[in-house]
Amino acid sequence: MKNFLLLPLLVAAGSLAIGAATTSRPTAQAATLRPVPTPDTLTVRGRITDRSTGQGLPGVTVLVKGTTTGVSTAPDGGYRVVMPAGHRVLIISYVGYVTQEHTVSKDYQVLNVALQPDSRTLNEVVVGGALAGKAAGVQITAQGNDRGYAAPARKRKPGGWSGAGYVAAPRPAPSAGETYAHTQEGGFRSTTKDPLSTFSIDVDATSYSNVRRFLNQGQLPPPDAVRIEEMLNYFQYDYPQPTGPEPFSVTTELAACPWNPTHQLVHVGLQGKIVATDKLPPANLVFLVDVSGSMMGDDRLPLVQAALRLLVKELRPQDKVALVVYAGAAGLVLPPTAGNKRSEILRAIDNLQAGGSTAGGAGLRLAYQVARDNFQKDGNNRVILATDGDFNVGEQSDDAMEHLIVQERESGVFLTVLGVGQGNYQDKKMELLADKGNGNYAYLDNLDEARRVLVRQFGGTLFTLAKDVKLQVEFNPARVREYRLIGYENRTLAAEDFNNDRKDAGEMGAGHTVTALYEVVPVGAPAAIDKLKYQAGASEKPAPASADLMTVKLRYKEPQGNTSKLFERTLRGPVAPLERASENLRFAAAVAQFGMLLRASEYRGDATWAATAKLAEGARGKDPEGYRAELVRLMKAAEGLQPSVGAYDSR
């Protein structure tokens, strides 16, 4: 067992809490098998849907009445639950829907249920998932649609792994211990004074899954937790694949603005080239796992282990994986191991246990060193950090962590940050690490989100197509009086940064999409900014619709390159009525409007919760995994959570 020679020393020193390698455990093959039901149990399968739409509902709680046995539905609404002997009643509950009870007989082992949306406020609804567990001491098994999440059987306190699969114990409500970077919402700019808008792309979708966590637990998120660009980029859009030499395509569109009828909405979409998994370059991955005491919760280290198991199944023989852990100190648990040696990798993951203080800086240094020592010139070199961000040994301040990560990124190693947990969740620190470390960032609120990030978007999350991608938009003052970039507040750049190749910017992965929206005030419409007394303004006579509205310029570097490449696109033509705009624009507008309502934005105009949900519902289009339907549900749930009039108006 040479892969674990460091463990006795580390455990003896009290630095790390990791299960001994000599512990007898099931084989990796056994870890993928489901428990075999006894003759007295009953296995029930089915699908949970929205009665009004027929769409499958993900994350619905299916609970065996009178027990602590339950499952959450998969993205398509499918589920599978083993009912213990003597119990034959299932309770189906979900945020914003009427709870149902169903008796299942031995002769009828398929139960499909259509849930009716509840018109009452969310506080009156029997909430599924974590809240139902909190109320009844329920253990929720994330089995999904019989897709094999089961892991080695072991006895634990509520939360973690059991013979039935991943079990989520009741989770505490988010508290003041969570930190989010404060963002001042971007306002309108005068085209004559500031014709250029420059920003770094952002493919992260962290904010959406975090907002979903708050809403599913019956709370509105803090305004600073709502980053509209990350909510926009959670969803996939139907943009065309690139046909030229560039690694991504650019799509632009102009339509009426849904929350302000005198304004217009500009939609900019980027589509990264889709690369088949077998065509991706070999990967040199280092899993860096926080095993400190703060990771002891059921939604922390056990969820990280489950997520990494999913990723290991996607590895190819040419890929290599190492495992570094840190608590009071950092240690190498698994040296670089070929991707086809899954049993060795899974065994190392299964042996992790939490305990001790948190030396995040030491862990990052060691992980980058391991990645550098095994660097593949033409491959994908990446550290995957999984943590709640609660560092308390070594570098702790944001400035110290930024300095460390900026130094390490010069090695050419990319960074992926996987955030977990709540109550002490340090979003501010982890967003900083990903932004400064040539990386991306995801928040895992459940196992399905881990599957979305690490399996469905395997290429986009772990393989970089282009780095330091910047956009610069120049508006034509003959058509646009003022403009406002929606979101991207912490990604804005100075105009001169666009041509500075030393200025860091965002990375784009294989198959990723990037979406940005501008709210523009056309010439002739009422101004948002008073006219300047001593400046020569543009003509008040609108230019013809055939004139350019704007020009989009992009700069990017190849993954291991140092010199940027430039290309540009121009948008012209008349403004389209919203109902004739593309599905892409209408859905993105609904997401942005939702974010503005959650933030109580001063720019939300005429937006209402009902109009936002209707706009999103009308632009759902193809939604095979149910994420767009889930968004509509969350919009309705958020409406029920709004404060009383006076604290937050009826919008």
Side-chain angles (χ1 to χ4, degrees), residues 54 142 180 188 261 296 367 378 392 410 429 441 499 514 534:
Y180 299 93
F188 284 98
M296 294 182 75
D378 297 321
N392 53 37
E410 297 301 320
K429 191 179 296 292
Y441 171 33
N499 293 322
V514 176
Y534 302 108

Side-chain angles (χ1 to χ4, degrees), residues 350-527:
D350 289 344
N351 280 332
L352 300 180
Q353 295 179 12
S357 53
T358 313
L364 281 165
R365 285 193 184 91
L366 180 56
Y368 273 99
Q369 178 186 329
V370 173
R372 287 195 305 268
D373 290 345
N374 297 274
F375 194 88
Q376 296 194 38
K377 183 178 179 181
D378 297 321
N380 174 46
N381 303 277
R382 185 175 296 268
V383 171
I384 302 175
L385 167 63
T387 178
D388 59 6
D390 192 9
F391 305 148
N392 53 37
V393 174
E395 291 87 353
Q396 299 180 46
S397 71
D398 290 347
D399 287 343
M401 293 305 297
E402 179 178 350
H403 180 71
L404 170 62
I405 208 71
V406 167
Q407 284 183 317
E408 296 291 355
R409 80 179 183 207
E410 297 301 320
S411 65
V413 176
F414 293 87
L415 177 68
T416 291
V417 179
L418 303 177
V420 294
Q422 63 179 324
N424 66 330
Y425 183 59
Q426 305 300 304
D427 173 86
K428 179 181 178 181
K429 191 179 296 292
M430 290 187 286
E431 184 188 15
L432 174 70
L433 290 176
D435 287 350
K436 300 299 181 181
N438 279 351
N440 46 38
Y441 171 33
Y443 175 74
L444 308 183
D445 59 331
N446 55 47
L447 191 58
D448 182 63
E449 182 64 14
R451 190 190 307 107
R452 189 189 77 88
V453 172
L454 298 175
V455 177
R456 298 192 192 102
Q457 298 183 3
F458 178 72
T461 300
L462 300 181
F463 294 88
T464 300
L465 275 180
K467 69 178 182 179
D468 292 340
V469 183
K470 309 169 191 174
L471 280 86
Q472 187 170 77
V473 177
E474 179 181 359
F475 289 96
N476 180 2
R479 288 196 62 183
V480 178
R481 168 182 275 165
E482 293 141 3
Y483 65 88
R484 183 176 78 89
L485 176 61
I486 300 173
Y488 291 93
E489 287 88 358
N490 60 358
R491 296 278 184 161
T492 57
L493 300 171
E496 59 269 23
D497 290 336
F498 184 70
N499 293 322
N500 182 359
D501 280 354
R502 296 193 59 82
K503 187 67 177 181
D504 182 60
E507 281 63 51
M508 189 165 187
H512 263 159
T513 61
V514 176
T515 298
L517 295 175
Y518 282 94
E519 181 179 355
V520 301
V521 181
V523 172

Side-chain angles (χ1 to χ4, degrees), residues 209-259:
S209 55
N210 194 27
V211 165
R212 178 175 61 198
R213 184 251 302 191
F214 278 96
L215 294 176
N216 279 338
Q217 294 186 145
Q219 301 177 67
L220 288 172
D224 285 333
V226 182
R227 297 188 286 270
I228 294 178
E229 72 279 5
E230 295 185 13
M231 297 181 69
L232 285 170
N233 289 320
Y234 185 89
F235 300 94
Q236 292 292 308
Y237 299 86
D238 187 22
Y239 301 145
Q241 277 290 298
T243 56
E246 293 85 12
F248 39 76
S249 67
V250 181
T251 300
T252 56
E253 187 178 1
L254 177 66
C257 180
W259 56 85

Side-chain angles (χ1 to χ4, degrees), residues 27 171 260 272 283 342 478 522 533:
T27 65
R171 294 183 288 182
N260 192 326
R342 292 182 180 176
K533 183 176 181 180

Side-chain angles (χ1 to χ4, degrees), residues 96-377:
Y97 288 80
V98 178
T99 298
Q100 298 185 22
E101 290 190 13
H102 293 272
T103 301
V104 182
S105 69
K106 288 186 177 181
D107 299 326
Y108 188 71
Q109 299 180 21
V110 175
L111 178 64
N112 297 318
V113 178
L115 293 182
Q116 177 68 40
D118 196 337
S119 60
R120 296 172 296 174
T121 63
L122 188 66
N123 289 332
E124 296 173 314
V125 177
V126 180
V127 181
L131 287 183
K134 186 174 182 180
V138 175
Q139 298 176 357
I140 303 300
T141 305
Q143 287 183 193
N145 190 18
D146 196 19
R147 299 189 181 189
Y149 300 169
R154 62 178 76 171
K155 293 182 178 180
R156 296 182 63 95
K157 295 178 181 179
W161 290 98
S162 73
Y166 178 73
V167 180
R171 294 183 288 182
S175 71
E178 299 190 10
T179 62
Y180 299 93
H182 176 64
T183 54
Q184 185 66 40
E185 193 170 15
F188 284 98
R189 293 180 176 271
S190 168
T191 306
T192 54
K193 184 179 178 181
D194 295 305
L196 297 176
S197 171
T198 309
F199 65 99
S200 162
I201 68 159
D202 187 1
V203 297
D204 297 339
T206 305
S207 181
Y208 179 79
S209 55
N210 194 27
V211 165
R212 178 175 61 198
R213 184 251 302 191
F214 278 96
L215 294 176
N216 279 338
Q217 294 186 145
Q219 301 177 67
L220 288 172
D224 285 333
V226 182
R227 297 188 286 270
I228 294 178
E229 72 279 5
E230 295 185 13
M231 297 181 69
L232 285 170
N233 289 320
Y234 185 89
F235 300 94
Q236 292 292 308
Y237 299 86
D238 187 22
Y239 301 145
Q241 277 290 298
T243 56
E246 293 85 12
F248 39 76
S249 67
V250 181
T251 300
T252 56
E253 187 178 1
L254 177 66
C257 180
W259 56 85
N260 192 326
T262 65
H263 293 180
Q264 298 169 359
L265 199 62
V266 174
H267 175 227
V268 181
L270 277 65
Q271 172 66 63
K273 183 178 181 181
I274 296 175
V275 182
T277 300
D278 60 352
K279 301 297 183 182
L280 293 170
N284 165 33
L285 304 178
V286 180
F287 295 162
L288 174 58
V289 181
D290 181 353
V291 293
S292 64
S294 67
M295 292 289 286
M296 294 182 75
D298 61 281
D299 55 350
R300 303 178 192 216
L301 182 57
L303 180 56
V304 169
Q305 290 171 297
L308 294 182
R309 289 187 191 98
L310 294 175
L311 175 55
V312 168
K313 294 178 182 179
E314 300 300 308
L315 298 178
R316 306 158 302 174
Q318 63 267 39
D319 300 327
K320 287 189 176 181
V321 170
L323 177 59
V324 172
V325 295
Y326 65 92
L332 177 65
V333 174
L334 180 73
T337 303
N340 59 352
K341 295 184 178 180
R342 292 182 180 176
S343 60
E344 294 182 29
I345 302 171
L346 291 172
R347 190 178 304 116
I349 294 170
D350 289 344
N351 280 332
L352 300 180
Q353 295 179 12
S357 53
T358 313
L364 281 165
R365 285 193 184 91
L366 180 56
Y368 273 99
Q369 178 186 329
V370 173
R372 287 195 305 268
D373 290 345
N374 297 274
F375 194 88
Q376 296 194 38
K377 183 178 179 181

